[in-house]
């Protein structure tokens, strides 16, 4: 049967989404899998939908109105979408569409019972499931009723939930069409849902089957608790049998109703173990066909299964791509949790980081991971790996220990050679000499200056060849043995002080105060330097008025427009000087595609205005000097107390040497990252110039499209002057879906996503547990900030956010405490919190969701928990 408006399910497959929608395409694909039975039926195509919508008066005006609505204005969306549904349902199905549907019904049985189901073109896709957003009607009898319900399916394109879903996922209403699937009705003994991967843990080797009596609507609507079967390797490994008091059954006259399940049947399993295993076998065939884990709706009829829907499970975190034939187990650790940037990265961003990183990294879900399997397998390297990762983030250690506790997943290989440089390789100690830090900073500056000079003459394919050489220099500077020695010297001294002063004096985290205002900390200097900018601007009323309205200005014109105000020249010079030193920074700076402050200077305006409001002149110098004095007083206090102890002079002398050592080297901990992002701005400016040429030659639509190519693909595009537009579009859709995913700290090759847990019993009931990284206790108003550019902080506020990288440091000067969801003892936010003397707790799971903006909280930075106050 071939018709413009109607296609048999067997005529379509997943390549025909644009014609029959996601559901119809998947059902057509399912019908082609050997051993998989799909109820007979046909699809009313998107051509029919467009033909019908042409009859709807003023639809374009309504779509324009809908697109202008705020996704959060639920009342306005509810009102307008209801009006649109009524208009569509009142329009008669066009005669030629009616004729095509009637002919199809005649073939399958005009008076039979049918399921009539919406099938949108943005539905059941790998990046957007759209599950439950449009309508399904069961047990529809006769042509008149079928046509009426086709109209209702078309109208369900504009249910409130579908409209909000599209707006929140950035999907233009006009780009989505609606097909309708009409299938012979199945009257099952049991039905339910099969997940071919565990939807909670993500484990791809575990399947779960939810089952109940009658039609599946009882489970989908939450009317009953299902029986749950867990299947692994062809065996039911766990089962929960529920008391199923209600079921949904078809009515003879059409439609469905709830009925009570016979008391004697309620606790009888809806499936046998053998049936559950057989169903999972069908699920594995379906998964293989579509290439990803599936959420499958099934029915059991006379001991035979019918598949009525299959869609990708879009909530699972993707797995790194493995080499063909690689069937070994692997354990991956998140790079983003170490780098304080857990957001999804665009392809150019993650490929550049891979090319400049010191160890091999794998991409999954727009994030990077390091394979630590070999290190875990060898007892010689396992303890060192767990120790160094545990010091940084105890949740990573706990997650890895959970994997190790799953007997046999990571085999023990005593003589395994670790991949890449060992993470705990202790460099030889160096003398406590400030000249070491001075030399390292000068080496970095010289290397960056050479990069800036040499890259100017490079363009086209020659630029990419040059950059590959520059990446080797990048890694040479990053791996400089002296640099590694300096970093480890500061970290080891910190740990030594905390351990020994807790042992000798019973004082927790003493190093937090001893490192206040340590010299050569480029990140803390960055925050204080913005206070100096505020000092320039504070006495300039016209500049202040201009800045308060700066959010409406284009970044390209911002500084020029600023200079036109009274005092604007002086203000511009101060901001320009700041950007010359720090303009390469931005939130998420390890992703080269993120806009830098130099590219988007208005990002700094809210922080400058906060500094003007919350501080007086000279605040930067005062704060630094206050920190230095506190550190000195702490040193004198600690040393005098130690001398009163047995063997006190020796303990005091060792401690004084370690304090000198930590203050000499701990500030340098921040400089290598500054060097990386300084180089990144140089790389980016050169690459954007190439993207601009491709735009001028009509190879790219806009420069930022290059961000959706890997470095290698960008190189090829420049060499060939060609680009795959469909690839860029697919990458954009994938990036949009990846942004909604929360990356795990640890991921296994089975797909299990682990975030770790704190094993503590010293936290008050109701408090949020985290990692103590900066001592002290503070109570104040929580400000939940997800975007630095939208921060509105007052003195005494406590910043609550997902993560902080160095670009957040200017905010730290105006807050009283810090809480983050991601972080470790030596990550940037922790280092700067200690530098500024802010009580801080990091690694607090779901902090931005459990703490309300404006709520009063108490941060226990010494003990590592946050109290929510009434």
């Amino acid at each position: 049967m071939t018709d413009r408006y109607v296609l048999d399910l067997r005529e379509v497959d997943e390549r025909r989404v644009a014609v029959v929608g996601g559901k119809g395409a998947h059902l057509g694909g399912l019908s082609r899998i050997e051993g998989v039975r799909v109820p007979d039926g046909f699809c009313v195509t998107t051509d029919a939908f467009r033909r019908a919508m042409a009859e709807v008066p003023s639809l374009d005006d309504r779509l324009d109105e809908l697109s202008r609505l705020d996704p959060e204005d639920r009342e306005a969306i509810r009102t307008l979408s209801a009006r649109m549904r009524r208009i569509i349902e009142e329009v008669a199905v066009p005669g030629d569409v009616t004729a095509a549907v009637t002919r199809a019904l005649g073939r399958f049985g005009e008076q039979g019972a049918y399921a009539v189901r919406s099938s949108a073109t943005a539905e059941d896709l790998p990046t957007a499931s759209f599950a439950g957003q449009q309508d399904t009607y069961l047990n529809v009898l006769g042509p008149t009723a079928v046509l009426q319900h086709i109209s209702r399916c078309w109208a369900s394109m504009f249910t409130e939930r579908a409209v909000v879903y599209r707006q929140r996922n950035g999907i233009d209403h006009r780009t989505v069409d609606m097909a309708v699937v009409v299938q012979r009705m199945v009257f099952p003994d049991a039905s339910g849902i099969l997940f071919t991967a565990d939807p909670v843990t993500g484990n791809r080797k575990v399947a779960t089957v939810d089952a109940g009596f009658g039609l599946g609507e009882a489970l989908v609507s939450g009317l009953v608790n299902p029986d749950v079967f867990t299947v692994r390797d062809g065996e039911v490994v766990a089962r929960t049998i529920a008391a199923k008091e209600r079921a949904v059954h078809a009515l003879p006259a059409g439609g469905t109703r709830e009925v009570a399940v016979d008391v004697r049947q309620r606790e009888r399993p809806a499936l046998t173990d053998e049936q559950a295993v057989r169903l999972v076998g069908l699920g594995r065939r379906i998964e293989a066909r579509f290439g990803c884990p599936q959420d499958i709706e099934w029915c059991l009829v006379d001991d035979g299964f019918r598949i009525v829907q299959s869609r990708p499970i879009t909530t699972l975190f993707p797995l790194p791509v493995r080499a063909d034939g690689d069937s070994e187990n692997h354990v991956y650790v998140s790079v983003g949790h170490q780098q304080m940037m857990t957001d999804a990265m665009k392809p150019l961003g993650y490929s550049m980081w891979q090319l400049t990183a010191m160890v091999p990294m794998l991409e999954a879900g727009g994030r990077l991971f390091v394979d630590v399997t070999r290190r875990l397998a060898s007892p010689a390297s396992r303890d060192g790996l767990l120790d160094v990762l545990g010091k940084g983030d105890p949740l990573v250690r706990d997650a890895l220990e959970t994997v190790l506790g799953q007997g046999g997943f990571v085999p023990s290989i005593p003589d395994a050679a670790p991949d890449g440089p060992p993470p705990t390789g202790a460099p030889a100690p160096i003398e406590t000499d400030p000249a070491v830090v001075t030399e390292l900073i000068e080496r970095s500056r010289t290397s960056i200056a050479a990069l800036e000079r040499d890259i100017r003459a490079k363009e086209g394919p020659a630029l990419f060849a040059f950059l590959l050489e520059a990446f080797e220099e990048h890694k040479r500077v990053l791996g400089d043995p002296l640099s590694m020695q300096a970093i480890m010297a500061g970290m080891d001294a910190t740990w030594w002080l905390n351990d020994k002063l807790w042992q000798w004096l019973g004082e927790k985290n003493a190093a937090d105060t001893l490192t206040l205002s340590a010299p050569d900390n480029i990140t803390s200097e960055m925050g204080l330097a913005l206070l100096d900018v505020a000092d320039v601007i504070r006495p300039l009323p016209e500049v202040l008025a201009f800045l308060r309205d700066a959010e409406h200005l284009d970044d390209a014109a911002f500084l020029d427009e600023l200079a036109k105000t009274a005092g604007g020249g002086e203000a511009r010079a101060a901001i320009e000087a700041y950007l010359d030193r720090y303009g390469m920074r931005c939130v998420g700076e390890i992703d080269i595609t993120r806009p830098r402050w130099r590219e988007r200077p208005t990002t700094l305006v809210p922080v400058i205005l906060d500094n003007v409001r919350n501080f007086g002149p000279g605040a930067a110098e005062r704060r630094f000097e206050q920190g230095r004095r506190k550190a000195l007083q702490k040193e004198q206090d600690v040393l005098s107390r130690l001398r009163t102890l047995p063997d006190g002079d020796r303990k005091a002398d060792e401690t004084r040497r370690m304090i000198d050592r930590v203050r000499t080297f701990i500030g340098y901990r921040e400089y290598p990252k500054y060097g990386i992002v300084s180089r990144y701005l140089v790389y980016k400016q050169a690459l954007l110039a190439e993207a601009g040429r491709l735009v001028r030659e009509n190879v790219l639509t806009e420069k930022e499209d290059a961000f959706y190519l890997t470095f290698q693909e960008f190189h090829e595009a420049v060499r060939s002057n060609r680009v795959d537009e469909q690839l860029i579009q697919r990458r954009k859709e994938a990036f949009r879906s990846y942004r909604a995913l929360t990356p795990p700290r640890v991921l296994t090759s089975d797909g299990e996503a682990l975030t770790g847990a704190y094993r503590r019993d010293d936290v008050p009931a109701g408090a949020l547990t985290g990692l103590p990284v900066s001592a002290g206790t503070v109570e104040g108003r929580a400000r939940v900030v997800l975007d630095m550019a939208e921060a509105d902080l007052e003195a005494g506020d406590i910043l609550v956010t997902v993560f902080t990288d160095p670009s957040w440091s200017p905010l730290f000067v105006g807050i009283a405490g810090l809480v983050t969801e991601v972080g470790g003892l030596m990550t940037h936010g922790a280092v700067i919190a200690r530098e500024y003397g802010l009580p801080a707790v990091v690694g607090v799971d779901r902090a931005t969701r459990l703490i309300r903006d404006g709520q009063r909280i108490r941060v226990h930075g010494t003990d590592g928990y946050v109290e929510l106050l009434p």
Side-chain angles (χ1 to χ4, degrees):
M1 168 175 69
T2 301
D3 187 290
R4 178 185 173 192
Y5 297 133
V6 170
L7 292 173
D8 191 292
L9 277 177
R10 290 178 176 79
E11 294 181 270
V12 301
D13 60 20
E14 54 272 30
R15 294 170 297 181
R16 305 294 299 276
V17 170
V19 178
V20 295
K23 189 182 285 102
H26 273 75
L27 285 168
L30 286 166
S31 69
R32 296 164 183 255
I33 304 173
E34 183 178 353
V36 173
R37 299 174 66 182
V38 176
D40 290 336
F42 58 90
C43 299
V44 183
T45 67
T46 53
D47 275 344
F49 172 72
R50 288 190 291 270
R51 169 78 174 84
M53 292 307 100
E55 306 292 327
V56 178
S58 64
L59 181 63
D60 281 345
D61 293 342
R62 296 285 184 272
L63 286 170
D64 288 341
E65 188 178 349
L66 194 62
S67 65
R68 290 193 294 267
L69 293 180
D70 185 330
E72 303 306 318
D73 190 348
R74 299 299 291 271
E75 184 58 38
I77 290 173
R78 185 177 302 117
T79 301
L80 181 55
S81 58
R83 189 184 316 147
M84 294 177 74
R85 289 197 306 277
R86 282 196 304 272
I87 292 170
I88 293 170
E89 288 182 21
E90 290 169 1
V91 171
V93 177
D96 43 0
V97 176
T98 297
V101 171
T102 303
R103 283 195 300 272
L105 289 172
R107 176 177 175 182
F108 290 106
E110 200 170 273
Q111 298 306 315
Y114 291 90
V116 183
R117 312 169 71 195
S118 306
S119 179
T121 54
E123 185 175 12
D124 294 354
L125 305 179
T127 57
S129 78
F130 246 77
Q133 302 307 311
Q134 278 96 31
D135 291 345
T136 288
Y137 301 95
L138 300 180
N139 200 29
V140 179
L141 304 179
T144 301
V146 168
L147 287 164
Q148 181 184 43
H149 286 86
I150 288 171
S151 282
R152 290 180 178 174
C153 286
W154 288 337
S156 73
M157 171 93 162
F158 298 104
T159 60
E160 178 189 350
R161 60 186 181 274
V163 169
V164 171
Y165 189 96
R166 286 195 294 271
Q167 289 182 317
R168 288 182 175 170
N169 283 275
I171 299 172
D172 186 344
H173 303 295
R174 296 177 188 275
T175 65
V176 181
D177 289 324
M178 180 71 77
V180 179
V181 176
V182 180
Q183 285 177 283
R184 290 298 301 265
M185 185 68 190
V186 173
F187 302 99
D189 304 312
S191 57
I193 300 167
L194 161 64
F195 295 98
T196 64
D198 189 313
V200 177
T201 68
N203 195 317
R204 268 62 163 184
K205 292 189 176 178
V206 173
T208 62
V209 178
D210 290 1
F213 297 129
L215 293 166
E217 268 47 42
L219 299 187
V220 173
S221 64
L223 183 64
V224 297
N225 291 323
D227 296 341
V228 180
F229 299 83
T230 303
V231 179
R232 179 168 186 149
D233 297 329
E235 180 183 357
V236 174
V237 295
R239 73 180 63 75
T240 302
I241 306 304
K244 300 170 285 294
E245 297 183 358
R246 311 288 293 174
V248 173
H249 284 236
L251 293 170
T256 62
R257 73 171 181 183
E258 296 175 19
V259 298
V261 175
D262 188 298
V263 174
R264 294 166 295 181
Q265 300 293 315
R266 289 178 181 175
E267 297 190 19
R268 178 175 69 82
L271 293 178
T272 66
D273 283 6
E274 183 275 330
Q275 288 170 330
V277 170
R278 182 152 44 96
L279 176 61
V280 170
L282 292 175
R284 294 297 179 210
R285 292 188 193 179
I286 294 169
E287 181 181 69
R289 165 69 187 234
F290 295 123
C292 63
Q294 297 287 300
D295 166 358
I296 298 166
E297 294 181 22
W298 56 269
C299 296
L300 178 67
V301 183
D302 299 329
D303 199 40
F305 288 104
R306 307 290 191 277
I307 305 301
V308 295
Q309 187 161 326
S310 183
R311 64 170 70 91
I313 306 175
T314 58
T315 56
L316 298 178
F317 199 85
L319 295 178
V321 176
R322 297 197 283 180
D324 290 343
D326 181 359
S327 59
E328 295 182 1
N329 293 338
H330 292 269
V331 182
Y332 310 103
V333 171
S334 164
V335 172
H337 285 82
Q338 312 300 312
Q339 290 293 334
M340 296 300 93
M341 214 296 277
T342 55
D343 291 348
M345 300 168 72
K346 296 184 179 77
L348 185 62
Y350 65 67
S351 65
M352 291 280 283
W353 193 260
Q354 286 172 308
L355 288 166
T356 54
M358 301 299 292
V359 296
M361 294 180 180
L362 302 165
E363 181 271 336
R367 280 81 170 187
L368 291 171
F369 293 84
V370 173
D371 188 341
V372 297
T373 316
R374 298 286 298 279
R375 292 172 187 158
L376 287 176
S378 169
S381 58
R382 180 189 306 145
D383 290 343
L385 176 71
L386 293 174
D387 182 59
V388 73
L389 291 177
K391 281 180 176 177
D393 184 344
L395 294 179
V396 172
R397 176 173 187 143
D398 182 79
L400 290 173
E401 288 176 336
T402 299
V403 175
L404 290 169
Q406 297 170 354
F409 187 86
V410 178
S412 182
I413 309 174
D415 297 322
D419 302 327
T424 56
I430 54 175
E431 292 297 316
T432 302
D433 182 358
V436 171
V437 173
T438 302
E439 179 185 346
L440 285 168
I441 290 173
E442 185 55 35
R443 285 185 191 179
S444 178
R445 287 174 177 166
T446 300
S447 177
I448 293 167
L451 172 67
E452 291 173 333
R453 180 189 67 242
D454 296 342
I455 205 171
R456 288 179 191 139
K458 303 297 188 293
E459 61 181 21
L463 169 66
F464 289 82
F466 171 82
L467 284 174
L468 289 173
E469 294 178 7
F471 296 162
E472 293 307 308
E473 167 68 3
H474 180 125
K475 288 190 282 188
R476 188 196 65 75
V477 172
L478 199 58
D480 184 335
L482 185 63
S483 178
M484 298 300 294
Q485 287 174 307
I487 292 170
M488 289 308 299
M491 293 170 68
D492 286 341
T494 300
W495 292 327
W496 189 96
L497 287 167
N498 282 336
D499 289 345
K500 294 297 185 182
L501 295 181
W502 169 247
Q503 176 187 338
W504 293 336
L505 299 177
E507 185 162 341
K508 289 184 179 179
N509 303 322
D512 293 358
T513 304
L514 293 167
T515 54
L516 289 173
S517 296
D520 299 311
N521 189 318
I522 189 72
T523 308
S524 65
E525 290 170 4
M526 177 173 67
L528 297 177
L530 205 58
L531 287 174
D532 292 335
V533 174
D535 285 353
V536 172
I537 289 171
R538 188 178 290 105
L540 304 173
E542 289 195 27
V543 169
L544 285 170
F546 173 85
L547 292 180
R548 291 185 183 112
D549 198 40
E551 63 185 44
H552 305 299
L553 287 175
D554 176 50
D555 278 284
F558 168 65
L559 291 172
D560 289 338
E561 293 298 317
L562 172 63
K564 296 175 183 177
T565 64
E570 187 181 357
R572 175 178 177 158
I575 294 173
E576 284 275 19
Y578 186 85
L579 292 174
D580 286 344
R581 185 149 173 77
Y582 305 109
M584 74 294 291
R585 311 222 81 144
C586 67
V587 173
E589 61 193 9
I590 71 169
D591 182 354
I592 198 171
T593 71
R594 292 288 190 99
R596 311 281 135 175
W597 290 345
R598 167 58 71 184
E599 298 167 313
R600 195 170 290 176
T602 57
T603 303
L604 295 171
V605 169
V607 191
I608 294 171
L609 291 174
D610 284 347
N611 288 347
V612 168
R613 183 175 68 247
N614 295 330
F615 297 95
E621 184 177 351
R622 281 198 308 276
R623 285 179 67 94
F624 187 84
E625 182 58 26
Q626 286 167 1
R628 194 188 65 79
R629 283 202 305 269
K630 281 184 183 178
L632 180 60
Q633 290 166 2
K634 186 68 172 179
E635 177 180 0
Q636 293 169 345
D637 171 64
V638 163
L639 295 179
S640 64
R641 289 160 61 197
L642 286 172
R643 289 193 179 99
T644 66
L645 301 177
D647 198 21
D649 287 344
R650 178 189 63 81
K651 292 173 180 174
D653 287 346
E654 286 185 13
T655 300
R656 180 182 52 75
R657 285 197 296 272
M658 282 298 177
I659 292 172
D660 288 346
R661 194 163 179 80
V662 79
R663 291 192 65 80
T664 297
F665 292 116
I666 199 64
Y668 177 72
R669 165 73 178 78
E670 293 294 297
Y671 203 88
K673 186 72 169 287
Y674 176 79
I676 290 171
V677 296
S678 295
R679 298 178 75 90
Y680 262 37
L681 180 59
V682 180
Y683 303 153
K684 183 178 185 179
Q685 288 170 334
L687 289 169
L688 280 176
E690 287 302 310
R693 183 186 64 77
L694 293 179
V695 170
R696 290 191 297 275
E697 297 183 9
N698 297 316
V699 177
L700 291 176
T701 303
E702 54 188 17
K703 287 196 294 186
E704 287 73 18
D705 282 352
F707 296 163
Y708 295 94
L709 301 172
T710 64
F711 179 85
Q712 298 84 348
E713 290 164 347
F714 194 179
H715 185 183
E716 178 59 22
V718 168
R719 189 196 64 77
S720 65
N721 238 30
R722 289 197 307 272
V723 74
D724 183 346
E725 286 289 344
Q726 290 186 333
L727 172 67
I728 290 175
Q729 191 56 41
R730 288 196 302 273
R731 293 274 177 78
K732 287 181 178 181
E733 292 170 0
F735 177 71
R736 185 165 56 234
S737 72
Y738 294 158
R739 291 176 67 185
L741 298 176
T742 300
R745 283 176 167 81
V746 171
L747 184 66
T748 74
S749 51
D750 281 358
E752 188 169 5
L754 300 104
T755 57
Y758 293 105
R759 313 293 176 177
R760 295 174 54 184
D761 56 10
D762 60 342
V763 174
L768 307 180
T769 307
L771 179 66
V773 296
S774 185
T777 301
V778 66
E779 180 179 322
R781 179 180 68 160
R783 297 313 307 262
V784 179
V785 179
L786 301 180
D787 182 346
M788 176 181 160
E790 296 177 2
D792 182 15
L793 299 166
E794 295 182 3
D797 283 347
I798 297 170
L799 175 63
V800 180
T801 190
V802 178
F803 61 79
T804 60
D805 59 12
S807 70
W808 288 74
S809 300
L811 293 181
F812 284 25
V813 299
I815 59 175
L818 174 69
V819 178
T820 69
E821 295 182 357
V822 177
L825 190 62
M826 282 297 172
T827 50
H828 300 278
V831 170
I832 303 307
R834 291 192 291 272
E835 171 75 12
Y836 287 164
L838 301 174
V841 180
V842 303
V844 180
D845 187 38
R846 297 178 296 146
T848 58
R849 284 167 278 181
L850 296 174
I851 299 172
R852 300 189 316 275
D853 185 47
Q855 181 177 14
R856 290 196 69 77
I857 61 174
R858 187 179 295 126
V859 177
H860 295 262
T862 304
D863 296 312
Y865 63 90
V866 180
E867 289 183 280
L868 308 180
L869 304 177

